[in-house]
């Protein structure tokens, strides 16, 4: 196999692959070794592990641990100096408490400290400017070039070869598979090729016919003149890595100098196809391709901020600086996995030094064992929608990711542009109703409707803190209650729909999933898509609409990718999401709304739960499925996109006499959590098996073989479970990813949470050790410990009487 790129990711990958037994590995590099001129060659080496993403935290933890175990000529590849994030505003201090919660959730040591302790850790600070800090003692500095060299040596000792001065000029392919890599010094046959080319990733991808949604940007880094021994020692560094996020700055020591990085300047996108090769860069008087000339005008405001934080710097100056190029993606996450366009062509791109060894291990496990041990769905190349791959989108969102690196980002906060991209056929009506839109997967999604504001008047709701009140409205409570009491229309169009057809479609889907699909047309089945180890890759709703025709409700583009990879000849899988739309009609009056619109029998006896019918509502042909993700009587109604507006208007007019409302995602999330319905990618991933996640009812052992069955059978009793919690105080609210403490010790974390307007408490689901109902726990929320209790589920309507009426 061939790895393209000998930066920190390529070297880490070669080490991980050879450690797993793949020793026929060739690493090709266009520049000279050991410093080939990419981002690794200038990286400051900061390894901060705390991240809202559990996956990235795990990658960073492994990177720190691995590099700390490596040395070259007696010199360690990692200095555990710790990390310190500063707060100079109350908003940032609150966010540091939230970050401390993330650290506790993911098992990272850290604590919020006062200004005096910050001054003790960094004597140059103006203590009067600091409100506090978040100290993580196990973070530190990686010497990226040294770590690359150490891993290169280990990989070579196992048989790998590293060839520098080999510029890749093409990728050979045949029959949809990669067959080799062409360079200016010869061709290298290969069954597997990994692009670990950093910001050149789009260039290598284009050679393979693979789109790589990555935007390189330049980032300013400067070193000061010598200071009076800021490290207080002869070491390269002894003080923690310092982040001054209120001004988009970070600091690290370089002996008696300070290195300062800034994200405060304007985004400076770089065209990867215009970045010079190593020798061309040297000919232009550049130190390396990734190091562009320092732009003093962009630096000036940041220097003032540096001097305000550390007054001693006014006696110093910048000795040297450069604008270093590195990679961003539309969502800020790495790009990992096998390309759907070309089998055997893998990506390990947009990975910073911080996550390098962890990401490399995941890709190596993926290649050798068929799956990584860690959940990587946030990093999977298959996660991107087609609309998220356009060069303009990648540039805009990548630039925004740069600008927001150190911003305080609310978990619901959408990108501001480009919007809108994808709108449902109901968009015009939603605007008329005053929809408040957030965005997901490129879709504009109403979270509530201001037209329903009068319904919220007089509701007694607990006061919310400033954080939980963002992207929320009391209108959501009115919409949730209207759904429980009358009927509501929900726009479910963004939920992914696949059409699976052809001879063999039944046997294919039956073998890929856990539940019994051998049912007559008209049946709808909730089932699970597992990986070979028994982990939950996705949950699906499969409707059999004909002998060889199925509609599959899926979660992400990765589901289409996985099913397509395994589909036999004759089975066709098509994503029909964009050409169709869906309205959820839910509530106790749902039948009263829809029955007059059709000649078909929509009674409980005539149209049972988890059944489907192709019918007409008024003038609109629809596929109706009796499903409910909110725990109420109702149907999902599907039609083609061109008839969507007519469907909405038909339902709206028929619902007037029943007090119908349009309801948004905020109410939807509250309703589904009261009922205990899981959200894949949030509540459960392939790190979890069905019985841990509480969806073991979707596993039918008597159905025969299915993917993941043997591994699932070999698993013992779960030691952890997805556990429902009710917060004890009716006024308390949490949002997700908070640590859960059992007997005073962080034992798990919240996945989903929302206020349950029907039950009058906040509902939270959390991964915890197996605990009996009634057990008291505490949830960490901005430094406070909020009491909660383990409860039985479902919290609402355990007898299913509301749905089955």
């Amino acid at each position: 196999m061939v790895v393209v790129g000998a930066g920190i990711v390529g070297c880490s990958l070669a080490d991980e692959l050879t450690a797993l037994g793949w020793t026929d590995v060739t690493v090709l590099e266009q520049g000279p070794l050991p410093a080939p001129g990419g981002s690794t060659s200038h990286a400051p080496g900061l390894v901060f592990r705390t991240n809202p993403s559990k996956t990235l935290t795990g990658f960073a933890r492994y990177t720190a641990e691995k590099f700390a175990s490596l040395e070259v000529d007696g010199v360690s590849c990692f200095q555990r100096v710790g990390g310190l994030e500063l707060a100079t505003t109350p908003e940032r201090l609150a966010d540091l408490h939230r970050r401390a919660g993330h650290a506790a959730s993911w098992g990272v040591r850290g604590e919020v400290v006062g200004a005096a302790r910050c001054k003790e850790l960094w004597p140059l600070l103006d203590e009067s400017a600091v409100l506090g800090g978040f100290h993580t003692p196990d973070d530190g500095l990686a010497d990226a070039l040294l770590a690359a060299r150490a891993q290169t040596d280990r990989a070579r000792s196992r048989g790998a070869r590293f060839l520098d001065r080999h510029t890749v000029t093409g990728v050979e392919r045949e029959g949809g598979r990669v067959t080799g890599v062409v360079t200016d010094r010869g061709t290298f046959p290969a069954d597997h090729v990994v692009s670990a080319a950093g910001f050149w990733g789009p260039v290598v991808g284009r050679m393979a016919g693979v789109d790589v949604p990555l935007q390189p940007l330049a980032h300013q880094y400067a070193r000061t003149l010598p200071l009076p021994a800021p490290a207080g020692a002869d070491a390269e560094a002894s003080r923690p890595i310092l982040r001054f996020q209120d001004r988009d700055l970070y600091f690290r020591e370089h002996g008696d100098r300070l290195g300062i990085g800034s994200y405060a300047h304007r985004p400076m996108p770089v065209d990867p196809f215009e970045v010079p090769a190593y020798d061309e860069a040297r000919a232009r008087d550049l130190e390396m391709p990734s190091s562009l000339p320092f732009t003093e005008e962009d630096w000036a405001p940041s220097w003032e901020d540096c001097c305000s934080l550390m007054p001693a710097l006014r006696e110093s100056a910048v000795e040297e600086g450069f604008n270093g190029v590195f990679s961003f993606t539309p969502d800020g996450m790495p790009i990992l996995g096998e390309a759907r366009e070309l089998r055997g062509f893998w990506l390990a791109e947009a990975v910073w030094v911080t996550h390098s060894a962890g990401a490399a291990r995941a890709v190596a496990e993926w290649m050798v064992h068929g799956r990584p041990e860690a959940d990587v769905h946030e990093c999977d190349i298959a996660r991107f929608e087609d609309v998220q791959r356009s060069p303009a989108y990648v540039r805009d969102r990548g630039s925004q990711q740069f600008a927001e690196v150190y911003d305080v980002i609310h978990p619901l906060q959408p990108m501001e542009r480009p919007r809108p991209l994808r709108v449902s056929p109901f968009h015009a009506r939603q605007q008329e109703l005053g929809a408040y839109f957030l965005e997901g997967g490129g879709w504009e999604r109403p979270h509530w409707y201001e037209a329903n504001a009068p319904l919220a008047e007089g509701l007694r709701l607990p006061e919310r803190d400033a954080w939980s009140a963002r992207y929320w409205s009391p209108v959501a409570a009115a919409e949730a209650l209207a759904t429980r009491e009358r009927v509501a229309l929900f726009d479910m169009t963004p939920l992914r729909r696949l059409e699976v057809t052809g001879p063999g479609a039944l046997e294919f889907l039956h073998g890929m999933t856990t539940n019994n699909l051998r049912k007559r047309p008209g049946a709808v089945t909730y089932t699970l898509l597992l990986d070979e180890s028994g982990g939950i890759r996705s949950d699906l709703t499969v409707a059999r609409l004909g002998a060889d025709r199925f509609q599959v409700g899926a979660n992400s583009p990765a589901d289409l990718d996985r099913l397509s990879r395994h589909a036999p000849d004759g089975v066709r899988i098509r994503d029909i999401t964009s050409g169709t739309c869906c309205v959820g009609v839910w509530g106790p009056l749902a039948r009263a709304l829809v029955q007059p619109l059709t000649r078909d029998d929509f009674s409980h006896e005539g149209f049972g739960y988890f059944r489907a019918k192709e019918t007409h509502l008024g003038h609109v042909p629809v596929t109706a499925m009796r499903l409910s993700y909110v725990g109420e009587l109702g149907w999902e109604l599907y039609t083609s996109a061109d008839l969507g507006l007519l469907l909405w208007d038909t339902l709206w007019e028929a619902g007037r006499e029943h007090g119908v409302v349009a309801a948004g995602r905020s109410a939807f999330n509250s309703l589904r959590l009261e009922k205990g319905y899981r959200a894949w990618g949030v509540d459960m991933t392939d790190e979890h098996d069905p019985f841990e996640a509480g969806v073991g009812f979707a596993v039918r052992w008597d159905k025969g073989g299915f993917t993941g069955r043997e591994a699932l059978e070999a698993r013992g009793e779960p030691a952890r479970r997805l556990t429902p919690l009710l917060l004890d105080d009716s006024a308390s609210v949490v949002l997700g990813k908070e640590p859960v403490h059992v007997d005073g010790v962080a034992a798990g974390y919240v996945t989903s949470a929302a206020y349950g307007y029907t039950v009058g408490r906040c509902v939270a689901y959390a991964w915890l050790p197996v605990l009996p109902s009634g057990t008291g726990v505490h949830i960490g929320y901005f430094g406070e410990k909020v009491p909660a209790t383990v409860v039985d589920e479902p919290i609402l309507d355990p007898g299913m009487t509301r749905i089955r009426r």
Side-chain angles (χ1 to χ4, degrees), residues 453-760:
L455 301 177
E457 295 175 2
L459 290 180
R460 299 183 63 180
L461 301 173
E463 290 290 328
R464 291 203 170 206
D465 63 275
W467 186 252
S468 63
R470 293 183 67 186
Y471 305 105
W472 174 85
S473 168
V475 174
E479 293 173 0
L481 294 172
T483 306
R484 293 277 186 238
E485 296 166 1
R486 300 190 304 278
V487 63
L489 305 186
F490 290 80
D491 181 2
M492 306 303 289
T493 300
L495 298 186
R496 184 166 307 279
R497 293 172 292 284
L498 308 177
E499 182 184 72
V500 183
T501 57
L506 171 61
E507 293 306 313
F508 164 63
L509 289 172
H510 188 74
M512 287 290 292
T513 64
T514 61
N515 213 331
N516 177 30
L517 300 185
R518 292 197 179 107
K519 301 174 183 177
R520 288 177 297 176
V524 183
T525 306
Y526 176 80
T527 188
L528 305 173
L529 188 66
L530 305 184
D531 63 22
E532 287 72 13
S533 72
I536 304 171
R537 285 292 298 258
S538 188
D539 61 342
L540 309 175
T541 303
V542 180
R544 191 176 189 188
L545 302 179
D548 297 317
R549 181 165 64 94
F550 296 82
Q551 182 171 307
V552 178
N555 285 294
S556 79
D559 295 339
L560 173 62
D561 181 69
R562 182 164 178 83
L563 290 172
S564 297
R565 288 176 186 274
H566 291 84
D569 292 341
V571 173
R572 183 186 181 199
I573 304 174
R574 189 166 62 98
D575 190 328
I576 61 172
T577 309
S578 298
T580 56
C581 59
C582 178
V583 182
V585 182
W586 292 315
L589 301 181
R591 182 175 290 114
L593 188 157
V594 298
Q595 183 63 82
L597 299 174
T598 179
R599 294 179 179 178
D600 283 308
D601 184 0
F602 270 57
S603 69
H604 182 63
E605 295 74 20
F607 197 153
Y609 190 51
F610 266 83
R611 298 293 298 172
K613 282 185 180 181
E614 293 181 295
T615 183
H616 287 78
L617 295 181
H619 297 286
V620 184
V622 299
T623 299
M625 298 185 195
R626 190 168 168 199
L627 308 174
S628 174
Y629 204 52
V630 300
E632 295 293 332
L633 169 69
W635 288 265
E636 293 179 358
L637 303 173
Y638 299 88
T639 192
S640 56
D642 59 326
L643 293 171
L645 193 59
L646 179 57
L647 174 62
W648 180 279
D649 289 345
T650 300
L651 295 169
W652 187 261
E653 185 60 33
R656 285 181 181 275
E657 63 179 290
H658 304 294
V660 70
V661 301
R665 296 287 298 184
S666 186
F668 176 87
N669 201 43
S670 170
L671 295 165
R672 68 104 179 164
L673 283 172
E674 288 183 324
K675 192 60 183 169
Y677 293 146
R678 278 65 166 147
W680 185 86
V682 179
D683 298 314
M684 56 189 186
T685 69
D686 61 6
E687 286 187 331
H688 312 112
D689 74 40
F691 300 99
E692 295 174 323
V695 289
F697 62 85
V699 178
R700 290 290 300 270
W701 296 114
D702 59 354
K703 65 168 284 184
F706 57 84
T707 301
R709 176 175 181 135
E710 291 183 3
L712 204 56
E713 288 176 324
R715 295 195 179 203
E717 283 295 312
R720 60 178 179 176
R721 291 190 188 276
L722 185 61
T723 304
L725 306 172
L726 274 180
L727 274 63
D728 293 353
D729 185 347
S730 62
S732 297
V733 175
V734 298
L735 300 181
K737 298 189 177 180
E738 297 90 355
V740 181
H741 300 266
V742 180
D743 295 330
V745 178
Y749 59 92
V750 174
T751 57
S752 295
Y755 198 84
Y757 303 108
T758 316
V759 300

Side-chain angles (χ1 to χ4, degrees), residues 103-326:
S105 291
W106 315 142
V108 174
R109 284 203 305 157
E111 64 173 336
V112 177
V113 299
R117 177 60 174 153
C118 294
K119 175 74 171 179
E120 181 183 339
L121 291 167
W122 259 89
L124 290 177
L125 293 176
D126 176 3
E127 185 178 346
S128 67
V130 178
L131 299 181
F134 176 47
H135 181 221
T136 46
D138 299 321
D139 291 341
L141 294 166
D143 187 321
L145 286 177
L146 207 63
R149 181 179 162 191
Q151 293 176 103
T152 296
D153 291 344
R154 297 206 314 185
R156 278 178 171 151
S157 72
R158 303 184 190 113
R161 58 176 177 167
F162 289 73
L163 304 177
D164 64 359
R165 298 293 188 173
H166 281 66
T167 300
V168 173
T169 59
V171 175
E172 295 186 329
R173 42 202 156 133
E174 184 177 339
R177 286 201 61 89
V178 70
T179 59
V181 176
V182 182
T183 77
D184 58 350
R185 299 175 67 178
T187 299
F188 296 83
D191 295 324
H192 296 276
V193 174
V194 183
S195 176
F199 55 77
W200 282 291
V203 178
V204 177
R206 179 176 291 183
M207 297 177 194
V210 172
D211 182 56
V212 181
L214 175 160
Q215 177 60 58
L217 286 108
H219 160 63
Q220 290 202 300
Y221 192 79
R223 294 193 190 201
T224 68
L225 292 166
L227 295 165
D234 295 330
E236 169 73 5
S238 62
R239 304 291 181 194
I241 312 161
L242 186 68
R243 291 204 279 189
F244 181 22
Q245 290 147 305
D246 287 323
R247 290 295 182 269
D248 297 308
L249 293 165
Y250 64 83
F251 305 81
R252 60 151 294 181
E253 295 170 317
H254 292 282
D256 61 354
R257 292 165 167 79
L258 282 187
I260 308 170
S262 172
Y263 294 99
H265 54 81
R266 61 191 169 89
M268 294 185 271
V270 174
D271 186 343
F273 294 90
E274 298 297 327
V275 177
Y278 186 90
D279 291 329
E280 183 183 350
R282 301 286 285 186
R284 297 185 191 178
D285 293 326
L286 299 175
E287 182 181 352
M288 61 187 77
S290 61
S291 179
L292 303 180
F294 193 62
T295 48
E296 294 281 357
E297 65 276 13
D298 292 305
W299 179 257
S302 289
W303 181 247
E304 279 302 309
D305 290 331
C306 293
C307 294
S308 295
L309 182 68
M310 301 183 195
L313 290 180
R314 295 194 184 280
E315 306 301 319
S316 184
V318 169
E319 182 178 45
E320 59 181 351
F322 63 94
N323 290 359
V325 181
F326 63 141

